[in-house]
Amino acid sequence: MSSLERRILRAAHVIPEGFWTAYGELGLAATGRPNAARAVARCASRTSAFPNAWRVIHADGSIPDGWGGGGAGPQRCRERLESEGVTFTNGRADPAKKILAEELELLLAGE
């Protein structure tokens, strides 16, 4: 596993229950680079032990069609978020429950 993947997994680990973040926010917190969203998505899709995967979705709060390999994956993602108290309106997660990169960085610093 690369050091980039380890940083991404560490950042994903600190996303608190009842909140969600975007691939780009997680990537920025993990790497300091604003263009790391694809690295996060690649790591999530290739790492079976990716922590809190259901808490990482699109920036607009929508769940990617291919989440969890597609099929029923997006519905499972939504159900997990809803079970933690995240509500959805018009297919998008509540923006008030979105954790930004700066907040993730603070959580990482407190770890």
Side-chain angles (χ1 to χ4, degrees):
M1 179 177 299
S2 73
S3 67
L4 171 63
E5 290 169 326
R6 282 192 294 277
R7 290 193 315 263
I8 290 169
L9 294 175
R10 182 171 170 254
H13 178 74
V14 302
I15 305 166
E17 182 176 327
F19 292 89
W20 64 275
T21 194
Y23 294 97
E25 298 290 343
L26 184 63
L28 180 58
T31 70
R33 296 189 331 245
N35 61 346
R38 287 190 176 153
V40 171
R42 192 170 32 258
C43 182
S45 71
R46 295 179 181 170
T47 308
S48 61
F50 191 92
N52 304 315
W54 65 95
R55 297 180 186 151
V56 185
I57 57 179
H58 285 309
D60 66 359
S62 63
I63 299 169
D65 290 336
W67 192 94
Q75 183 59 36
R76 285 194 318 272
C77 176
R78 180 176 174 147
E79 289 168 359
R80 292 204 64 180
L81 286 168
E82 287 176 331
S83 75
E84 294 182 353
V86 177
T87 58
F88 283 77
T89 303
N90 297 321
R92 301 193 189 301
D94 180 359
K97 297 286 190 164
K98 183 178 182 181
I99 298 284
L100 301 176
E102 296 82 15
E103 295 165 292
L104 287 169
E105 290 168 1
L106 290 173
L107 291 168
L108 285 164
E111 207 182 31

